[in-house]
Amino acid sequence: MLLTKMKPEFEISEAHERKETALDVKQLNIYYGNHRAVKDISFTIEKNAVTALIGPSGCGKSTFLRSINRMNDLIPGARSEGIILYEDVNLIEDNINVVALRKEIGMVFQRPNPFAKSIYNNITHALKFYGIRSKKKLDQIVEESLRKAALWEEVKDRLHDSALSLSGGQQQRLCIARTLAVNPKILLLDEPASALDPISTAKIEELIMELKKEYTIIIVTHSMQQASRISDKTAFFLSGELVEFDQTDKIFTNPSNQKTEEYISGRFG
Ligand SMILES: Nc1ncnc2c1ncn2[C@@H]1O[C@H](COP(=O)(O)OP(=O)(O)OP(=O)(O)O)[C@@H](O)[C@H]1O
Ligand SMILES: [Mg+2]
């Protein structure tokens, strides 16, 4: 259970009630002290689709992404107002169980950050925390997660080697496997390939397109090519505002807003 008490004081959209949307964001504001980094944004994240967040440095992409699984809670002075509706629960409310939330909504960061443990233990770490102890069950989840993250074939004979002995691209796929191991519904990816070489990037992109069959994916990227290759929907942020949100094809071929046009054609940012 994400919430101890459930009593939404706002209207829940029909699409959300029909469980077609993964997240409904409404009038969301995020502050660091007095600085408003995300300004009154409203949009809907579709289930089992890839949504790309684009926009120049400092426009609030990571701030928004972190607010979804409450990683901003770790930043002193950060606070959110508004609604991020997930399965009839407003995720920004105080009484959310953030441990349970982060199991359902997992996050992968720009720099691969595996634990200084074996490949195997990187994956079982959280599982043990959630009380799974059977060796057979752990073995099974390790294999399943590594297969889903397209890493199994490369590491199956070295599961007890240190995760730090893997290449950067392999480490990032291990971080994705580690997130998948706890069976999340939504994956938040903050520039997951920006520290990787082109071949590793291509593997991550392929993986994302495979994973969207089972998961809802939100990805921050600075690469227009990447956003247009892998995403279904694109949200363009500028100075904390959501300037435009639409089908990715539309954003990259015929955007409605002039600022979007200028950004995607490389005139700023
Ligand atoms: N921990 C923090 N404390 C105070 N202000 C912050 C913090 N993190 C981000 N900000 C500010 O919030 C705004 C949005 O930052 P954010 O990191 O969300 O941007 P971004 O779009 O992810 O940028 P980038 O593309 O460079 O990663 C910026 O003005 C930034 O300086
Ligand atoms: Mg960022």
Side-chain angles (χ1 to χ4, degrees), residues 32-33 35-38 55-64 66 75-76 110 190-191 220 222 237:
Y32 296 107
H35 174 62
R36 187 160 65 128
V38 166
S57 183
C59 69
K61 305 177 298 293
S62 298
T63 298
F64 167 62
R66 285 196 303 262
I75 301 171
Q110 181 172 9
D190 197 347
E191 303 189 51
V220 172
H222 274 279
F237 283 69

Side-chain angles (χ1 to χ4, degrees), residues 111-128:
R111 300 254 156 220
N113 57 351
F115 307 126
K117 293 172 172 246
S118 69
I119 295 166
Y120 186 96
N121 285 335
N122 260 271
I123 296 186
T124 57
H125 181 81
L127 298 171
K128 287 183 176 160

